[in-house]
Every structure is written in C-alpha cells, then in structure tokens.
Amino acid sequence: MIRPATVDDVPEIRTMIRELATYEKAAEQVRSSEEQLRAALFGESPAAFALIAEDDDSGETVGYAVWFPRFSTWTGRRGMHLEDLYVRPGARGAGHGRALLAHLAALCRSRGYDRFEWWVLDWNEPAIGFYRSIGAQVMDEWKVCRLSGDSLARLAARAPGGV
C-alpha cells in the first residue's frame, strides 16, 4: 500500500534516510534532524512531500519516497523531482518501488506536470536497470553540479551588494 506520509512517520522516514545513505556509502553526510524533516514536510510551507510504502500483509513500513515540484523554462510547466526513493532490502522485489513510482507518476499526471526526474548513482546498476525497465531514460549526458560548504560561502561573498 502506498499512502501520503504523516507527521507521525517522521522518525521512520529519518531512519530510512540513514539506511539509504549507508547503502549509498555516504552515511556521514546525513545531518537532517527529525525537527528539520517535520518542518520541511509538514510545516506551514512544505519544501517537499513524502509517500510511505507499507507491506500489505504486515502493515510494516518498507519504503518511502520524497519529492518536490520543479519548473522547466523550456516547457513552461512544472515537473516533479524525486529526491529519495528507498525500499528496505528485505522488501525489495515485491513491487514496492514500482508502486511508489507509479503513484508519483499518477500525481504528476493529475497535477499537469510533464516531467518526472531523479538522479541515480552511476555505480548503482540494479537501480539503473530497474529504472530502464519502467521506461525511464537515463540521461548520461547531464552532470550534476553542486556548491556547498566553503565553496558556496566563497561564491556568495562575491555577490554584488549582497542579498
């Protein structure tokens, strides 16, 4: 079963975020707190939205997805960016990931979004294969660029007149 996350799901979402980060060999990079997630997902002006995947038989939480709207200047329309998709190892292969993605695709269609995009690590062949199997185009020609930490601070300091 796929359902919208509630504020009561925040501790479990945070646990799964850490599980995902461990799988992606980046556990030390997770800094979000439950309070930050509560504000981001359920505050007055949510920054993102979450879905929960539950096992139909046990009702146990087996996965989650976090997404937010984006905008394309080329199409002039909104789209969806999937920030996280995670299914716990013991629940993989049972259709939970596909169900989460199908639910998100249906949300895109119902809201008039014309793109549904996400990133995948280049070494994650099982995920890449899965995404291709559902018809996703893996766009190898695009590279992600990121500024953070000292680099972000240095460039921000060069803003004429500040912000």
Side-chain angles (χ1 to χ4, degrees):
M1 178 177 81
I2 307 301
R3 64 171 175 79
T6 68
V7 71
D8 293 334
D9 293 311
V10 168
E12 192 71 13
I13 291 170
R14 185 166 184 274
T15 297
M16 289 187 289
I17 289 169
R18 296 185 68 74
E19 291 171 14
L20 174 60
T22 298
Y23 174 76
E24 292 183 349
K25 302 171 179 73
E28 72 284 351
Q29 295 178 34
V30 176
R31 296 186 308 266
S32 59
S33 67
E34 287 184 22
E35 294 76 26
Q36 289 171 314
L37 291 171
R38 260 187 222 95
L41 298 173
F42 302 103
E44 187 174 316
S45 181
F49 305 92
L51 297 174
I52 296 293
E54 292 178 335
D55 181 79
D56 288 334
D57 297 326
S58 69
E60 177 185 350
T61 299
V62 295
Y64 79 103
V66 172
W67 67 275
F68 55 87
R70 59 185 306 163
F71 179 76
S72 169
T73 58
W74 288 20
T75 67
R77 296 174 64 189
R78 283 185 177 230
M80 178 183 286
H81 178 82
L82 176 61
E83 179 66 15
D84 285 355
L85 176 71
Y86 178 71
V87 174
R88 289 184 157 140
R92 292 181 189 157
H96 302 293
R98 186 178 305 269
L100 282 164
L101 289 170
H103 191 97
L104 291 167
L107 276 174
C108 283
R109 300 280 297 181
S110 72
R111 293 172 184 219
Y113 297 174
D114 66 343
R115 289 185 181 173
F116 177 18
E117 298 176 330
W118 62 91
W119 301 338
V120 61
L121 292 166
D122 62 358
W123 57 261
N124 194 345
E125 289 300 326
I128 292 169
F130 170 63
Y131 296 146
R132 285 189 171 131
S133 80
I134 63 166
Q137 176 187 8
V138 178
M139 302 176 68
D140 295 325
E141 66 274 17
W142 289 90
K143 300 293 182 193
V144 176
C145 299
R146 176 182 294 160
L147 278 174
S148 62
D150 292 341
S151 297
L152 178 62
R154 280 193 301 274
L155 185 58
R158 297 184 65 175
V163 177

